[in-house]
Coordinates of all heavy atoms in Angstrom, one line a residue:
M1 N -104.4 205.8 -64.1 CA -103.4 205.6 -65.0 C -103.5 206.6 -66.1 O -104.5 206.8 -66.7 CB -103.5 204.2 -65.6 CG -102.5 203.9 -66.7 SD -103.1 202.6 -67.7 CE -101.8 201.6 -68.0
V2 N -102.4 207.3 -66.3 CA -102.3 208.4 -67.4 C -101.9 207.7 -68.7 O -101.0 207.0 -68.7 CB -101.3 209.5 -67.0 CG1 -101.2 210.5 -68.1 CG2 -101.7 210.1 -65.7
T3 N -102.7 208.0 -69.7 CA -102.3 207.4 -71.0 C -102.1 208.6 -72.0 O -102.7 209.6 -71.9 CB -103.4 206.5 -71.5 OG1 -104.7 207.2 -71.7 CG2 -103.6 205.3 -70.6
K4 N -101.3 208.3 -73.0 CA -101.0 209.3 -74.0 C -101.3 208.5 -75.3 O -101.2 207.3 -75.4 CB -99.6 209.8 -74.0 CG -99.3 210.6 -72.8 CD -97.9 211.2 -72.9 CE -97.6 212.1 -71.7 NZ -96.3 212.7 -71.8
D5 N -101.7 209.3 -76.3 CA -102.0 208.7 -77.6 C -100.9 209.0 -78.6 O -100.5 210.1 -78.8 CB -103.3 209.2 -78.1 CG -103.8 208.6 -79.3 OD1 -103.9 207.3 -79.3 OD2 -104.2 209.3 -80.3
F6 N -100.3 207.9 -79.2 CA -99.3 208.1 -80.2 C -99.7 207.3 -81.5 O -100.4 206.3 -81.3 CB -97.9 207.5 -79.7 CG -97.4 208.2 -78.5 CD1 -97.6 207.7 -77.3 CD2 -96.6 209.4 -78.7 CE1 -97.1 208.4 -76.1 CE2 -96.1 210.1 -77.6 CZ -96.3 209.6 -76.3
T7 N -99.3 207.8 -82.6 CA -99.6 207.1 -83.8 C -98.4 206.8 -84.6 O -97.3 207.5 -84.4 CB -100.6 207.9 -84.7 OG1 -100.0 209.1 -85.1 CG2 -101.9 208.1 -84.0
G8 N -98.4 205.9 -85.5 CA -97.3 205.6 -86.4 C -97.9 205.0 -87.7 O -99.0 204.6 -87.7
T9 N -97.0 204.8 -88.7 CA -97.4 204.2 -89.9 C -96.6 203.0 -90.2 O -95.3 203.1 -90.1 CB -97.3 205.2 -91.1 OG1 -98.1 206.4 -90.8 CG2 -97.7 204.6 -92.4
I10 N -97.2 201.9 -90.6 CA -96.4 200.7 -90.9 C -96.0 200.8 -92.3 O -96.8 201.1 -93.2 CB -97.3 199.5 -90.6 CG1 -97.7 199.4 -89.2 CG2 -96.6 198.2 -91.1 CD1 -98.7 198.3 -88.8
T11 N -94.7 200.5 -92.6 CA -94.2 200.6 -93.9 C -94.5 199.3 -94.7 O -95.1 198.3 -94.1 CB -92.6 200.7 -93.9 OG1 -92.1 199.5 -93.4 CG2 -92.2 201.9 -93.1
E12 N -94.2 199.3 -95.9 CA -94.4 198.1 -96.8 C -93.8 196.9 -96.2 O -94.3 195.7 -96.4 CB -93.9 198.4 -98.2 CG -94.2 197.3 -99.2 CD -93.8 197.7 -100.6 OE1 -94.1 198.9 -101.0 OE2 -93.1 196.9 -101.3
K13 N -92.6 197.0 -95.6 CA -91.9 195.9 -95.0 C -92.3 195.6 -93.6 O -91.7 194.8 -92.9 CB -90.4 196.2 -95.1 CG -89.8 196.2 -96.5 CD -88.3 196.3 -96.5 CE -87.8 196.2 -97.9 NZ -86.4 196.2 -97.9
G14 N -93.4 196.2 -93.1 CA -93.9 195.9 -91.7 C -93.1 196.7 -90.6 O -93.3 196.4 -89.5
K15 N -92.3 197.7 -91.0 CA -91.6 198.4 -89.9 C -92.4 199.6 -89.5 O -93.2 200.2 -90.2 CB -90.3 198.9 -90.5 CG -89.3 197.8 -90.9 CD -88.0 198.3 -91.4 CE -87.1 197.2 -91.8 NZ -85.8 197.7 -92.2
I16 N -92.2 200.0 -88.2 CA -92.9 201.1 -87.7 C -91.9 201.9 -86.8 O -91.1 201.4 -86.1 CB -94.2 200.7 -86.8 CG1 -95.0 201.9 -86.4 CG2 -93.8 199.9 -85.6 CD1 -96.4 201.6 -85.9
T17 N -92.1 203.3 -86.8 CA -91.2 204.1 -86.0 C -91.9 204.3 -84.6 O -93.0 204.7 -84.6 CB -90.9 205.5 -86.7 OG1 -90.3 205.2 -87.9 CG2 -90.1 206.3 -85.8
I18 N -91.1 204.0 -83.6 CA -91.6 204.2 -82.2 C -91.4 205.7 -81.9 O -90.3 206.2 -82.1 CB -90.9 203.4 -81.2 CG1 -91.2 201.9 -81.5 CG2 -91.4 203.7 -79.8 CD1 -90.4 200.9 -80.7
P19 N -92.4 206.5 -81.5 CA -92.2 207.9 -81.2 C -91.1 208.2 -80.3 O -90.8 207.4 -79.4 CB -93.6 208.3 -80.6 CG -94.5 207.3 -81.1 CD -93.8 206.0 -81.2
A20 N -90.4 209.3 -80.5 CA -89.2 209.7 -79.8 C -89.4 209.7 -78.3 O -88.6 209.2 -77.5 CB -88.6 211.0 -80.3
E21 N -90.6 210.2 -77.9 CA -90.9 210.3 -76.4 C -90.9 209.0 -75.8 O -90.4 208.8 -74.7 CB -92.2 211.0 -76.2 CG -92.6 211.3 -74.8 CD -93.9 212.1 -74.7 OE1 -94.2 212.8 -75.6 OE2 -94.5 212.0 -73.6
I22 N -91.5 208.0 -76.5 CA -91.5 206.6 -75.9 C -90.1 206.0 -75.9 O -89.7 205.4 -74.9 CB -92.5 205.7 -76.8 CG1 -93.9 206.3 -76.8 CG2 -92.4 204.3 -76.4 CD1 -94.6 206.1 -75.5
R23 N -89.3 206.2 -77.0 CA -88.0 205.6 -77.0 C -87.1 206.2 -75.9 O -86.4 205.4 -75.2 CB -87.3 206.0 -78.4 CG -87.9 205.2 -79.5 CD -87.1 205.3 -80.8 NE -86.6 206.6 -81.1 CZ -87.1 207.5 -81.9 NH1 -88.3 207.2 -82.5 NH2 -86.5 208.7 -82.1
K24 N -87.2 207.5 -75.6 CA -86.5 208.1 -74.5 C -86.9 207.6 -73.2 O -86.1 207.2 -72.4 CB -86.6 209.6 -74.6 CG -85.9 210.3 -75.7 CD -86.1 211.7 -75.8 CE -85.5 212.3 -77.1 NZ -85.9 213.7 -77.2
K25 N -88.2 207.5 -73.0 CA -88.7 207.1 -71.7 C -88.3 205.7 -71.3 O -88.0 205.4 -70.2 CB -90.3 207.2 -71.7 CG -90.9 206.7 -70.4 CD -92.4 206.9 -70.4 CE -93.0 206.5 -69.1 NZ -94.5 206.7 -69.1
Y26 N -88.3 204.8 -72.3 CA -88.0 203.4 -72.1 C -86.6 203.0 -72.5 O -86.2 201.8 -72.6 CB -89.0 202.4 -72.8 CG -90.4 202.6 -72.1 CD1 -91.3 203.5 -72.7 CD2 -90.7 202.0 -70.9 CE1 -92.6 203.7 -72.1 CE2 -91.9 202.2 -70.3 CZ -92.9 203.0 -70.9 OH -94.1 203.2 -70.3
K27 N -85.8 204.0 -72.8 CA -84.4 203.8 -73.2 C -84.2 202.8 -74.3 O -83.3 201.9 -74.3 CB -83.6 203.4 -72.0 CG -83.5 204.4 -70.9 CD -82.7 203.9 -69.7 CE -82.7 205.0 -68.6 NZ -83.7 204.9 -67.6
L28 N -85.1 203.0 -75.3 CA -85.0 202.1 -76.5 C -84.0 202.8 -77.5 O -84.1 204.0 -77.8 CB -86.4 202.0 -77.2 CG -87.4 201.2 -76.3 CD1 -88.8 201.3 -76.9 CD2 -87.0 199.8 -76.0
R29 N -83.1 202.1 -78.1 CA -82.2 202.6 -79.1 C -82.0 201.6 -80.2 O -82.5 200.5 -80.1 CB -80.9 203.0 -78.5 CG -80.3 202.0 -77.6 CD -79.2 202.6 -76.7 NE -78.7 201.7 -75.7 CZ -79.3 201.4 -74.5 NH1 -80.4 202.1 -74.2 NH2 -78.8 200.6 -73.7
K30 N -81.2 201.9 -81.2 CA -81.0 201.0 -82.3 C -80.5 199.7 -81.7 O -79.6 199.6 -80.9 CB -79.9 201.6 -83.2 CG -79.6 200.7 -84.4 CD -78.5 201.4 -85.2 CE -78.1 200.4 -86.4 NZ -77.1 201.0 -87.2
G31 N -81.1 198.6 -82.2 CA -80.8 197.3 -81.7 C -81.5 196.8 -80.5 O -81.5 195.6 -80.2
S32 N -82.3 197.7 -79.9 CA -83.2 197.3 -78.7 C -84.2 196.2 -79.2 O -84.7 196.3 -80.4 CB -83.9 198.4 -78.1 OG -83.0 199.3 -77.5
R33 N -84.5 195.3 -78.4 CA -85.5 194.2 -78.7 C -86.7 194.5 -78.0 O -86.7 195.0 -76.8 CB -84.9 192.9 -78.4 CG -83.6 192.6 -79.3 CD -83.1 191.2 -79.2 NE -84.2 190.1 -79.2 CZ -84.6 189.6 -80.4 NH1 -84.2 190.0 -81.5 NH2 -85.5 188.6 -80.3
V34 N -87.9 194.2 -78.6 CA -89.2 194.3 -77.9 C -89.9 193.0 -78.2 O -89.6 192.2 -79.1 CB -90.0 195.5 -78.5 CG1 -89.3 196.8 -78.1 CG2 -90.2 195.4 -80.0
R35 N -90.9 192.8 -77.3 CA -91.8 191.6 -77.5 C -93.2 192.1 -77.8 O -93.6 193.1 -77.2 CB -91.8 190.8 -76.2 CG -92.8 189.7 -76.1 CD -92.6 188.8 -74.9 NE -91.5 187.9 -75.1 CZ -90.4 187.9 -74.3 NH1 -90.4 188.6 -73.2 NH2 -89.4 187.1 -74.5
F36 N -93.9 191.5 -78.7 CA -95.2 191.8 -79.0 C -96.2 190.8 -78.3 O -96.0 189.6 -78.5 CB -95.5 191.8 -80.5 CG -94.7 192.8 -81.2 CD1 -93.4 192.5 -81.7 CD2 -95.2 194.1 -81.4 CE1 -92.7 193.5 -82.4 CE2 -94.4 195.1 -82.1 CZ -93.1 194.7 -82.6
V37 N -97.1 191.3 -77.5 CA -98.0 190.5 -76.7 C -99.4 190.8 -77.1 O -99.8 192.0 -77.0 CB -97.8 190.7 -75.2 CG1 -98.8 189.8 -74.4 CG2 -96.4 190.5 -74.7
E38 N -100.1 189.8 -77.6 CA -101.5 190.0 -78.1 C -102.4 189.9 -76.9 O -102.3 188.8 -76.2 CB -101.8 189.0 -79.2 CG -103.2 189.3 -79.8 CD -103.5 188.4 -81.0 OE1 -102.7 187.5 -81.2 OE2 -104.5 188.6 -81.6
T39 N -103.2 190.9 -76.6 CA -104.1 190.8 -75.5 C -105.5 191.1 -76.0 O -105.7 191.4 -77.2 CB -103.8 191.9 -74.4 OG1 -104.1 193.2 -75.0 CG2 -102.3 191.9 -74.0
E40 N -106.5 190.9 -75.1 CA -107.9 191.2 -75.6 C -108.1 192.6 -75.9 O -108.9 193.0 -76.7 CB -108.9 190.8 -74.4 CG -109.0 189.3 -74.2 CD -110.0 188.9 -73.2 OE1 -110.8 189.8 -72.8 OE2 -110.0 187.7 -72.8
E41 N -107.3 193.5 -75.3 CA -107.4 195.0 -75.6 C -106.7 195.4 -76.8 O -106.9 196.5 -77.3 CB -106.9 195.8 -74.4 CG -107.8 195.7 -73.1 CD -107.5 194.4 -72.3 OE1 -106.4 193.8 -72.5 OE2 -108.4 193.9 -71.6
G42 N -105.7 194.6 -77.3 CA -104.9 195.0 -78.4 C -103.5 194.4 -78.3 O -103.3 193.4 -77.6
I43 N -102.6 195.1 -78.9 CA -101.2 194.6 -79.0 C -100.4 195.4 -77.9 O -100.4 196.6 -77.9 CB -100.5 194.8 -80.4 CG1 -101.4 194.0 -81.4 CG2 -99.1 194.3 -80.4 CD1 -101.0 194.3 -82.8
L44 N -99.6 194.7 -77.1 CA -98.8 195.3 -76.1 C -97.3 195.2 -76.6 O -96.9 194.1 -76.9 CB -99.0 194.6 -74.8 CG -98.2 195.1 -73.6 CD1 -98.6 196.6 -73.2 CD2 -98.5 194.2 -72.4
I45 N -96.6 196.2 -76.6 CA -95.2 196.2 -77.0 C -94.3 196.3 -75.7 O -94.4 197.3 -75.0 CB -94.8 197.3 -78.0 CG1 -95.6 197.2 -79.2 CG2 -93.3 197.2 -78.3 CD1 -95.4 198.3 -80.2
V46 N -93.5 195.3 -75.4 CA -92.8 195.2 -74.1 C -91.3 195.2 -74.4 O -90.8 194.3 -75.1 CB -93.2 194.0 -73.3 CG1 -92.4 193.9 -72.0 CG2 -94.7 193.9 -73.1
P47 N -90.6 196.2 -73.9 CA -89.1 196.2 -74.1 C -88.5 195.0 -73.4 O -88.9 194.6 -72.3 CB -88.6 197.5 -73.4 CG -89.8 198.3 -73.2 CD -91.0 197.4 -73.1
I48 N -87.5 194.3 -74.1 CA -86.8 193.2 -73.6 C -85.5 193.8 -73.0 O -84.7 194.3 -73.8 CB -86.5 192.1 -74.6 CG1 -87.8 191.6 -75.1 CG2 -85.6 191.0 -74.0 CD1 -87.7 190.6 -76.3
I49 N -85.3 193.8 -71.7 CA -84.1 194.4 -71.1 C -83.0 193.4 -71.0 O -83.2 192.3 -70.4 CB -84.5 195.0 -69.7 CG1 -85.6 196.1 -69.9 CG2 -83.2 195.6 -69.1 CD1 -86.2 196.5 -68.6
P50 N -81.9 193.6 -71.6 CA -80.8 192.7 -71.5 C -80.4 192.4 -70.0 O -80.4 193.4 -69.2 CB -79.6 193.3 -72.3 CG -80.3 194.3 -73.2 CD -81.5 194.8 -72.4
F51 N -80.1 191.2 -69.7 CA -79.7 190.9 -68.3 C -78.6 191.7 -67.8 O -78.6 192.2 -66.6 CB -79.4 189.4 -68.2 CG -79.0 189.0 -66.8 CD1 -79.9 188.9 -65.9 CD2 -77.7 188.6 -66.6 CE1 -79.6 188.5 -64.6 CE2 -77.3 188.2 -65.3 CZ -78.3 188.2 -64.3
E52 N -77.6 192.1 -68.7 CA -76.5 192.8 -68.2 C -76.9 194.2 -67.7 O -76.3 194.7 -66.8 CB -75.5 193.1 -69.4 CG -74.9 191.8 -69.9 CD -75.8 191.0 -70.9 OE1 -76.7 191.6 -71.5 OE2 -75.5 189.8 -71.0
E53 N -78.0 194.8 -68.2 CA -78.4 196.1 -67.8 C -79.1 196.0 -66.4 O -79.3 197.0 -65.7 CB -79.4 196.7 -68.8 CG -78.7 197.1 -70.0 CD -79.6 197.8 -71.0 OE1 -80.7 198.3 -70.6 OE2 -79.3 197.9 -72.2
L54 N -79.5 194.8 -66.0 CA -80.2 194.6 -64.7 C -79.2 194.5 -63.6 O -79.5 194.7 -62.4 CB -81.1 193.4 -64.7 CG -82.3 193.4 -65.7 CD1 -83.0 192.1 -65.7 CD2 -83.2 194.5 -65.3
L55 N -78.0 194.1 -63.9 CA -77.0 193.9 -62.8 C -76.7 195.2 -62.1 O -76.5 196.2 -62.7 CB -75.7 193.3 -63.4 CG -75.8 191.9 -64.0 CD1 -74.5 191.5 -64.6 CD2 -76.1 190.9 -62.9
G56 N -76.7 195.1 -60.8 CA -76.4 196.3 -60.0 C -77.6 197.2 -59.7 O -77.5 198.1 -59.0
I57 N -78.7 196.8 -60.3 CA -79.9 197.7 -60.0 C -80.3 197.6 -58.5 O -80.5 198.5 -57.9 CB -81.1 197.2 -60.9 CG1 -80.8 197.7 -62.3 CG2 -82.4 197.8 -60.4 CD1 -81.9 197.3 -63.3
D58 N -80.4 196.3 -58.0 CA -80.7 196.1 -56.6 C -80.0 194.9 -56.2 O -80.4 193.8 -56.4 CB -82.2 195.9 -56.5 CG -82.7 195.8 -55.1 OD1 -81.8 195.7 -54.2 OD2 -83.9 195.8 -54.8
K59 N -78.9 195.1 -55.5 CA -78.1 194.0 -55.0 C -78.9 193.0 -54.2 O -78.6 191.8 -54.2 CB -76.8 194.5 -54.3 CG -75.9 195.2 -55.3 CD -74.7 195.7 -54.5 CE -73.8 196.6 -55.4 NZ -73.1 196.0 -56.4
D60 N -79.9 193.5 -53.4 CA -80.7 192.6 -52.6 C -81.5 191.6 -53.4 O -81.9 190.6 -52.9 CB -81.6 193.4 -51.6 CG -80.7 194.2 -50.6 OD1 -79.6 193.8 -50.3 OD2 -81.2 195.3 -50.2
A61 N -81.8 192.0 -54.7 CA -82.7 191.2 -55.5 C -81.9 190.2 -56.4 O -82.5 189.5 -57.2 CB -83.5 192.1 -56.4
K62 N -80.6 190.2 -56.2 CA -79.8 189.3 -57.0 C -80.3 187.9 -57.0 O -80.4 187.3 -58.1 CB -78.3 189.3 -56.5 CG -77.3 188.5 -57.2 CD -76.0 188.7 -56.6 CE -75.0 187.8 -57.2 NZ -73.6 187.9 -56.6
E63 N -80.6 187.3 -55.9 CA -81.0 185.9 -55.9 C -82.4 185.7 -56.6 O -82.6 184.7 -57.3 CB -81.1 185.3 -54.4 CG -81.3 183.9 -54.3 CD -80.3 183.0 -55.2 OE1 -79.1 183.3 -55.2 OE2 -80.8 182.0 -55.8
I64 N -83.2 186.7 -56.4 CA -84.5 186.6 -57.0 C -84.4 186.6 -58.6 O -85.0 185.9 -59.3 CB -85.4 187.8 -56.6 CG1 -85.8 187.7 -55.1 CG2 -86.7 187.9 -57.4 CD1 -86.4 188.9 -54.5
I65 N -83.5 187.5 -59.1 CA -83.2 187.6 -60.5 C -82.7 186.3 -61.0 O -83.1 185.7 -62.0 CB -82.3 188.7 -60.8 CG1 -83.0 190.1 -60.5 CG2 -81.8 188.7 -62.3 CD1 -82.1 191.3 -60.6
F66 N -81.7 185.7 -60.3 CA -81.1 184.4 -60.7 C -82.2 183.3 -60.7 O -82.2 182.4 -61.6 CB -79.9 184.0 -59.9 CG -78.7 184.8 -60.2 CD1 -78.0 185.5 -59.3 CD2 -78.2 184.8 -61.5 CE1 -76.9 186.2 -59.6 CE2 -77.1 185.5 -61.9 CZ -76.4 186.2 -60.9
E67 N -83.1 183.3 -59.7 CA -84.2 182.3 -59.7 C -85.1 182.5 -60.9 O -85.5 181.5 -61.5 CB -85.0 182.4 -58.4 CG -86.1 181.4 -58.3 CD -85.6 180.0 -58.3 OE1 -84.5 179.7 -57.9 OE2 -86.4 179.2 -58.8
M68 N -85.4 183.7 -61.2 CA -86.3 184.0 -62.4 C -85.6 183.5 -63.7 O -86.3 182.9 -64.5 CB -86.5 185.5 -62.5 CG -87.4 186.0 -61.4 SD -87.6 187.8 -61.4 CE -88.3 188.2 -62.9
I69 N -84.3 183.7 -63.8 CA -83.6 183.2 -65.0 C -83.7 181.6 -65.0 O -83.9 181.1 -66.1 CB -82.1 183.7 -65.0 CG1 -82.1 185.2 -65.2 CG2 -81.3 182.9 -66.0 CD1 -80.7 185.8 -64.9
R70 N -83.5 181.0 -63.9 CA -83.6 179.5 -63.8 C -84.9 179.1 -64.3 O -85.1 178.1 -65.0 CB -83.2 179.0 -62.4 CG -81.7 179.0 -62.1 CD -81.4 178.3 -60.8 NE -81.8 179.1 -59.7 CZ -81.0 179.9 -59.0 NH1 -79.8 180.2 -59.5 NH2 -81.5 180.6 -58.0
E71 N -86.0 179.7 -63.8 CA -87.3 179.4 -64.2 C -87.6 179.6 -65.7 O -88.2 178.7 -66.3 CB -88.3 180.2 -63.4 CG -88.4 179.8 -61.9 CD -89.3 180.7 -61.1 OE1 -90.1 181.5 -61.7 OE2 -89.3 180.6 -59.8
L72 N -87.1 180.7 -66.2 CA -87.2 180.9 -67.7 C -86.5 179.8 -68.5 O -87.0 179.3 -69.5 CB -86.7 182.3 -68.0 CG -87.5 183.4 -67.7 CD1 -86.8 184.7 -67.9 CD2 -88.8 183.4 -68.5
E73 N -85.3 179.4 -68.0 CA -84.6 178.4 -68.7 C -85.4 177.1 -68.7 O -85.4 176.3 -69.7 CB -83.2 178.2 -68.1 CG -82.3 179.3 -68.4 CD -80.9 179.3 -67.7 OE1 -80.8 178.5 -66.7 OE2 -80.0 180.0 -68.1
E74 N -85.9 176.7 -67.5 CA -86.7 175.5 -67.4 C -88.0 175.6 -68.3 O -88.3 174.6 -69.0 CB -87.1 175.3 -65.9 CG -86.0 174.9 -65.0 CD -85.4 173.6 -65.5 OE1 -86.1 172.6 -65.9 OE2 -84.1 173.5 -65.5
E75 N -88.6 176.7 -68.3 CA -89.8 176.8 -69.2 C -89.4 176.7 -70.7 O -90.1 176.0 -71.4 CB -90.4 178.2 -69.0 CG -91.7 178.4 -69.8 CD -92.3 179.8 -69.6 OE1 -92.1 180.4 -68.5 OE2 -93.0 180.3 -70.5
R76 N -88.3 177.3 -71.1 CA -87.9 177.1 -72.5 C -87.5 175.6 -72.8 O -87.8 175.2 -73.9 CB -86.6 178.0 -72.7 CG -87.0 179.4 -72.8 CD -85.8 180.3 -73.1 NE -86.2 181.7 -73.1 CZ -85.4 182.7 -72.8 NH1 -84.2 182.5 -72.5 NH2 -85.9 183.9 -72.8
K77 N -86.9 174.9 -71.8 CA -86.6 173.5 -72.0 C -87.9 172.7 -72.2 O -88.0 171.9 -73.1 CB -85.8 173.0 -70.9 CG -84.4 173.4 -70.8 CD -83.7 172.9 -69.6 CE -82.3 173.4 -69.4 NZ -81.7 173.0 -68.2
R78 N -88.9 173.0 -71.4 CA -90.2 172.3 -71.5 C -90.9 172.6 -72.8 O -91.4 171.7 -73.5 CB -91.2 172.8 -70.3 CG -90.9 172.1 -69.0 CD -92.0 172.3 -68.0 NE -92.3 173.8 -67.7 CZ -91.6 174.5 -66.8 NH1 -90.6 173.9 -66.1 NH2 -91.9 175.7 -66.6
Q79 N -90.8 173.8 -73.2 CA -91.5 174.2 -74.5 C -90.7 173.5 -75.7 O -91.3 173.0 -76.6 CB -91.4 175.7 -74.7 CG -92.4 176.4 -73.8 CD -92.4 177.9 -74.0 OE1 -91.5 178.5 -74.6 NE2 -93.3 178.6 -73.3
A80 N -89.4 173.5 -75.6 CA -88.6 172.8 -76.6 C -88.9 171.3 -76.7 O -88.9 170.8 -77.8 CB -87.1 173.1 -76.4
S81 N -89.2 170.7 -75.6 CA -89.4 169.3 -75.6 C -90.8 169.0 -76.2 O -91.1 167.9 -76.6 CB -89.3 168.7 -74.2 OG -90.3 169.2 -73.4
L82 N -91.7 170.0 -76.2 CA -93.1 169.8 -76.7 C -93.1 169.9 -78.2 O -94.0 169.5 -78.9 CB -94.0 170.8 -76.1 CG -94.3 170.6 -74.6 CD1 -95.2 171.7 -74.1 CD2 -94.9 169.3 -74.3
E83 N -92.1 170.6 -78.8 CA -92.1 170.8 -80.2 C -91.6 169.7 -81.0 O -91.1 168.8 -80.7 CB -91.2 172.1 -80.5 CG -91.8 173.3 -79.9 CD -90.9 174.5 -80.1 OE1 -89.8 174.4 -80.7 OE2 -91.4 175.6 -79.7

């Protein structure tokens, strides 16, 4: 696995600029959403890809995608019922 080292500075309001190379590679732009995942190794930043952008990527995977969405909806319902 090839890794590159990037740095950034957190502002007073907790904002950080994602380096241009990373934004281009992962097609991140103004309004893009990301998820922060805490791991034993550190913080992982994962782009959240809107469902609309996934449509047409692989027509054979359509049913798999819909099943994943159903599973996520069920998981959210279970979590909501626990709160």
